Amino acid sequence: MTQNCDIVISGGGIAGLTAAAAFGSAGFKVICVDPAPPITDGAAEGADLRSTAMLQPARALLERAGLWEALAPHAAPLQIMRIIDAGGEEPEARVIREFDAADISEQPFGWNFPNWLLRREMVARLDSLDTVDFRPGVGTKSVFTRTTGAKVTLSDGTRVSAPLVIAADGRNSPVRQAAGIAVKSRRYGQKAVVFAVTHPIPHENVSTEVHRTGGPFTLVPLPDRDGLPCSAVVWMDDGAQAEARMELDVPAFEEAASRRSCFHFGPLTLVSARQIWPIITQHAERIAGERVALIAEAAHVLPPIGAQGLNMSLADIATLLDLAEARREGLGDADMLEAYHRARHGDITLRVNGIDLLNRASQASAPVLRDARAAGLNALYSAAPVRRMLMQMGLGTR
């Protein structure tokens, strides 16, 4: 027996859950599947300890999806983006520049959330929607498409018929592969160690990137923990060095992290487990195929710089939702998916290339290249129109 719905979403990560909430809230009948049930407790084994900065444009989509009201009490506002160049002989700040959201908006740049908390609130939202059938522990086994619709076979043997399949199933997306869509990848030899810390000096809602070599050391504000200021950290570096740091005992790791942060917020105290992630750039040659739309890491993977990754994913969802609502009778047809590709592909390409350049600059090890990076930061910051334009581009409002 075949089940019917409007949209099958393959993948129940943050992007897939957001898409399910957004399309379900708009009245579409959605089945969302993921082979790995979401972990919604930050203390549970396997919890995603990373954090995500939802930039200004994301709020409108979260409101449409019925998610913002539940998330708002947990938001850590990002009012200032601070960039520190510490590329001199000693690991200490030599150039500090701050990009203030007040220069371009009455709102902060965005709001930071722990990833496990996002999953918790998103799963709760899906539970409240009669239009969404979320099936954790079930994956997509096969996808067969034709001009009139798609047939999806799930890992539990269920068959589903739908006019549109959304691939939110990660960088190795089985749905993308079934659609025959190729990807282009770049590797940097980097890995990122992610963890949370407390520190004695308040972060004052400032997201801070410290550049020296190997990649940025980024501290993103989180709500206070046990009465102390708290930040999520992404420490990018050469893969071998990142692996070695995973083996350090806690005091040695805290000392190394504090030094790499230039003690900007004082000594750092580890308050979470450490996780490690490979750093790559990848983007699909097309983000749509027959009856298939790619979003999130199925469409693009970026180094964690400038909070672009998930916010590009949310832009994918918002664009696809607008097109779906405008042509419900033609949901998933060739015209709709071609319009989706045209609307998103250029922006994705621009941001993929821009983040690639920034990451390569952050890896610089030669003193002359680090000096050039510091000079470039000064030049960009000193020209007020350029500074405002860069902030608007980073938000996706220009």
Side-chain angles (χ1 to χ4, degrees):
M1 181 177 178
T2 299
Q3 299 178 2
N4 297 294
C5 66
D6 297 319
I7 302 169
V8 174
I9 299 176
S10 181
I14 291 173
L17 295 174
T18 302
F23 281 93
S25 297
F28 293 95
K29 186 178 179 182
V30 176
I31 294 176
C32 178
V33 299
D34 193 288
I39 299 174
T40 57
D41 181 349
E45 184 177 353
D48 186 349
L49 302 177
R50 295 172 296 175
S51 67
T52 293
M54 301 284 196
L55 299 180
Q56 273 185 29
R59 178 169 172 172
L61 176 64
L62 296 173
E63 289 174 344
R64 291 171 73 182
L67 291 165
W68 180 252
E69 185 176 354
L71 290 173
H74 308 286
L78 302 175
Q79 183 62 37
I80 292 174
M81 301 289 190
R82 178 183 294 141
I83 299 179
I84 297 175
D85 186 274
E89 292 186 10
E90 296 297 323
E92 56 188 27
R94 59 176 180 171
V95 177
I96 301 176
R97 294 292 179 261
E98 293 186 346
F99 296 82
D100 192 334
D103 289 346
I104 59 171
S105 173
E106 294 180 354
Q107 297 185 44
F109 285 116
W111 303 267
N112 201 53
F113 302 92
N115 283 7
W116 65 265
L117 185 143
L118 288 171
R119 286 183 169 87
R120 185 188 73 191
E121 299 303 329
M122 289 172 178
V123 169
R125 173 59 178 162
L126 298 190
D127 287 344
S128 73
L129 289 170
D130 294 337
T131 49
V132 178
D133 183 357
F134 177 45
R135 304 183 187 180
V138 178
T140 302
K141 183 178 179 181
S142 65
V143 179
F144 172 76
T145 65
R146 51 190 175 186
T147 57
T148 55
K151 303 289 185 182
V152 181
T153 302
L154 304 180
S155 60
D156 63 0
T158 303
R159 292 180 173 85
V160 182
S161 177
L164 176 62
V165 178
I166 297 177
D169 47 355
R171 59 187 66 185
N172 299 315
S173 169
V175 173
R176 184 189 65 226
Q177 293 173 27
I181 299 174
V183 297
K184 296 180 180 178
S185 300
R186 305 169 195 165
R187 299 186 179 275
Y188 305 93
Q190 290 170 296
K191 292 187 177 180
V193 180
V194 299
F195 51 97
V197 295
T198 56
H199 37 81
I201 299 173
H203 50 58
E204 297 181 332
N205 297 327
V206 176
S207 178
T208 302
E209 283 187 6
V210 184
H211 293 261
R212 182 163 172 78
T213 187
F217 184 101
T218 305
L219 301 104
V220 184
L222 290 175
D224 287 358
R225 180 165 179 158
D226 299 326
L228 289 170
C230 185
S231 295
V233 179
V234 179
W235 185 356
M236 291 168 55
D237 208 341
D238 172 77
Q241 294 191 49
E243 292 279 3
R245 293 188 185 108
M246 291 291 291
E247 302 302 320
L248 293 175
D249 62 29
V250 170
F253 181 81
E254 290 175 338
E255 173 62 23
S258 299
R259 282 179 55 79
R260 182 61 180 81
S261 73
C262 301
F263 289 90
H264 191 69
F265 294 124
L268 306 179
T269 300
L270 189 66
V271 292
S272 75
R274 288 166 270 180
Q275 294 176 334
I276 191 165
W277 300 83
I279 301 299
I280 68 168
T281 289
Q282 178 176 287
H283 63 104
E285 292 186 351
R286 288 190 58 82
I287 61 167
E290 186 177 65
R291 294 289 168 179
V292 171
L294 311 184
I295 67 169
E297 289 200 341
H300 43 73
V301 182
L302 300 177
I305 296 174
Q308 292 299 300
L310 184 67
N311 287 279
M312 288 170 60
S313 305
L314 299 181
D316 298 339
I317 296 167
T319 301
L320 197 58
L321 180 60
D322 287 342
L323 290 167
E325 289 192 298
R327 48 182 302 118
R328 288 177 183 260
E329 297 305 314
L331 180 66
D333 67 13
D335 289 342
M336 175 187 161
L337 292 175
E338 179 60 29
Y340 172 61
H341 174 78
R342 290 197 308 268
R344 292 294 301 136
H345 193 255
D347 182 68
I348 290 170
T349 301
L350 176 66
R351 292 177 190 279
V352 162
N353 290 334
I355 294 298
D356 174 71
L357 289 173
L358 290 174
N359 188 39
R360 293 181 188 279
S362 77
Q363 288 185 278
S365 56
V368 65
L369 294 177
R370 291 191 282 185
D371 290 345
R373 183 182 63 207
L377 173 60
N378 264 330
L380 291 173
Y381 185 85
S382 298
V386 174
R387 183 171 72 248
R388 286 193 293 270
M389 181 187 70
L390 289 173
M391 288 190 284
Q392 291 167 340
M393 289 182 66
L395 288 179
T397 58
R398 179 167 181 158

